[in-house]
Amino acid sequence: MKINTETYQLIDKGRFGMLSLGVGIVGLALSTAGYFADARQFFHSYLVSFAFWTSIGLGGLFFTLLHHMVGATWSIVLRRLSESVMMALPMMFVFFLPLLFGMHDLYHWSDHDAVEHDPILQGKAGYLNTPFFVVRTVVYFGIWFVLAWLLHRYSLQQDRGEDTSKRMLTVSAPGMILFALTSTYAAFDWLMSLEPHWYSTIYGVWFFAGGLLTFLCFTAVLAMLLRSRGVLGETIKVDHYHDLGRLMFAFLIFWAYISFSQYFLIWYANIPEETVYYLKRWTGSWQDVSLLLVFGYLMIPWLALIPRATKRHLPTLGIIAAWLIAMHWMDLYWAVMPNLHSEGFSPSWLDAVTLLGIGGIFLWYMFLHLSRHPLVPVKDPNLGGSLNHVIH
């Protein structure tokens, strides 16, 4: 993989995109076979994988919105990476469509007979019904696509010498409000409604926090991958990785705060219809997964990210970032799978092939966008400050 140092345009596209496409096709083919072997397991594994990759795409959209809102300088060299990640969100709408065939396998409230005999579901039927569920999802992806498309379009216009900074800010300010609402309700619909008798008002924030943290880790790993191929090695400096590490540390604490707040308030109130969510995840081997999240997702990475040296030593930071990405997947798995395997943790080969199938196509589409345009916004008026790591 080679890059034109004047235009920041890839000369040799490399094999990452095609390799990702190959992995995705094989993964989806095996996933299809898994559907015929065990439909319920397939849909639950598929939902975890879908939520995982969508959360990374949403993290890229949020990072780009925030970058323009605050007028950041240091992150300009990372902006094209975040734009490429967010531009994969329309592909995730395509991956949402198979979930429509698994509504009855996933969502108890979609069963008409179950609703007729359940007063709680009857009270929620105005919101939890299949047609409205589908309409809401179309609206979510429509808003995300419009925001991502506008920001990416203005970014490319900036590459051609147009001053689009105000236009990107104009999109980002209301876009942030729309993002907060849509990502929250998407988490309610896709994940929280798996257990329709239970609810949490901060569930959407939990989903957002984990997704943004994982995007930051994903960006660090992606930048290191490009660096290992001689791309952007002198552009994305150690100071930029240090900043990514600090943000990883901050949002790790934020994720932990939201997760603990949700648990603590439910434990303190001790209301049976609320505590059932955590009781189910403290049953059998799910107890071990819960402890893994406490120590593996919080305590160990938290301790590892405290030293300044850790955030500036790229191999160590890369290992921590990759570990946190894996822990985010486990967190989503812990949120979904007890509804299928209430007796305990029961991994399936479908967990892996659906993750690789969706992820391979996601990465292929991301690399496709990344290779078509300069890897940094070359005409951004503050690019020099970002190259020199001006903190603003």
Side-chain angles (χ1 to χ4, degrees):
M1 184 180 291
K2 297 179 181 179
I3 186 174
N4 186 320
T5 55
E6 295 182 0
T7 65
Y8 290 96
Q9 186 82 39
L10 285 174
I11 301 172
D12 175 15
K13 307 299 183 183
R15 299 179 179 178
F16 293 130
M18 296 308 298
L19 177 62
S20 299
L21 179 61
V23 170
I25 292 173
V26 173
L28 291 178
L30 292 173
S31 299
T32 303
Y35 163 74
F36 292 103
D38 188 345
R40 291 199 72 213
Q41 178 66 60
F42 164 79
F43 283 118
H44 282 79
S45 298
Y46 188 91
L47 177 60
V48 174
S49 301
F50 167 79
F52 174 81
W53 289 106
T54 302
S55 69
I56 294 177
L58 290 174
L61 177 57
F62 176 85
F63 186 87
T64 308
L65 289 167
L66 185 64
H67 167 87
H68 293 303
M69 278 192 65
V70 301
T73 297
W74 75 272
S75 55
I76 290 173
V77 295
L78 301 172
R79 199 181 85 202
R80 202 48 58 80
L81 301 184
S82 68
E83 289 173 358
S84 298
V85 171
M86 75 180 182
M87 287 304 293
L89 280 172
M91 184 63 66
M92 297 311 300
F93 176 72
V94 177
F95 285 122
F96 165 77
L97 299 178
L99 292 174
L100 297 178
F101 297 95
M103 294 292 293
H104 292 337
D105 292 292
L106 290 167
Y107 302 108
H108 184 60
W109 51 262
S110 67
D111 187 337
H112 184 266
D113 294 334
V115 174
E116 280 189 343
H117 299 89
D118 192 325
I120 295 178
L121 294 185
Q122 290 174 16
K124 297 183 177 183
Y127 184 84
L128 292 180
N129 62 80
T130 301
F132 194 24
F133 175 87
V134 174
V135 169
R136 289 195 304 272
T137 297
V138 171
V139 171
Y140 303 152
F141 276 103
I143 290 173
W144 298 336
F145 170 74
V146 170
L147 291 175
W149 179 77
L150 285 174
L151 291 174
H152 190 57
R153 178 191 176 194
Y154 293 149
S155 181
L156 296 181
Q157 288 176 352
Q158 188 182 61
D159 285 350
R160 296 192 290 269
E162 298 182 38
D163 184 6
T164 58
S165 300
K166 289 184 179 179
R167 276 180 264 174
M168 289 187 279
L169 175 59
T170 301
V171 171
S172 298
M176 187 64 78
I177 298 173
L178 291 172
F179 174 88
L181 292 172
T182 52
S183 61
T184 295
Y185 279 95
F188 289 168
D189 289 352
W190 301 338
L191 300 176
M192 194 172 76
S193 73
L194 290 167
E195 302 188 47
H197 288 187
W198 179 81
Y199 68 92
S200 168
T201 55
I202 60 174
Y203 197 86
V205 185
W206 161 82
F207 179 69
F208 156 76
L212 180 57
L213 170 61
T214 307
F215 164 76
L216 294 169
C217 297
F218 180 83
T219 301
V221 172
L222 175 60
M224 291 178 197
L225 176 64
L226 294 173
R227 184 186 185 94
S228 70
R229 306 297 295 179
V231 177
L232 300 181
E234 299 301 321
T235 303
I236 303 177
K237 299 180 171 63
V238 172
D239 288 327
H240 296 103
Y241 288 101
H242 187 189
D243 288 338
L244 281 173
R246 291 193 293 183
L247 286 173
M248 286 161 53
F249 180 79
F251 281 97
L252 174 62
I253 298 301
F254 182 64
W255 170 85
Y257 169 75
I258 295 299
S259 299
F260 177 75
S261 296
Q262 180 175 267
Y263 167 78
F264 180 75
L265 292 174
I266 290 174
W267 172 83
Y268 185 82
N270 200 28
I271 301 173
E273 56 265 31
E274 294 181 355
T275 57
V276 65
Y277 181 84
Y278 287 101
L279 287 173
K280 185 183 292 186
R281 287 157 179 77
W282 200 250
T283 299
S285 53
W286 286 119
Q287 180 178 356
D288 298 328
V289 178
S290 298
L291 292 173
L292 172 64
L293 291 174
V294 172
F295 292 97
Y297 201 175
L298 172 61
M299 297 305 299
I300 296 174
W302 175 68
L303 291 172
L305 283 171
I306 288 177
R308 182 176 185 271
T310 300
K311 295 186 283 290
R312 300 182 68 84
H313 186 253
L314 301 193
T316 303
L317 184 64
I319 292 172
I320 296 171
W323 174 257
L324 284 172
I325 292 172
M327 285 295 99
H328 176 58
W329 177 86
M330 182 58 72
D331 192 31
L332 292 171
Y333 191 91
W334 174 86
V336 172
M337 282 300 176
N339 297 283
L340 178 64
H341 301 294
S342 58
E343 70 285 352
F345 178 58
S346 181
S348 166
W349 62 277
L350 281 166
D351 301 330
V353 297
T354 54
L355 183 69
L356 293 175
I358 296 176
I361 303 301
F362 181 97
L363 293 174
W364 165 73
Y365 202 67
M366 181 203 73
F367 279 119
L368 192 64
H369 274 276
L370 201 60
S371 62
R372 285 177 173 175
H373 312 291
L375 296 179
V376 298
V378 291
K379 295 294 180 67
D380 191 297
N382 295 312
L383 177 60
S386 184
L387 293 172
N388 294 317
H389 193 254
V390 174
I391 299 177
H392 173 62

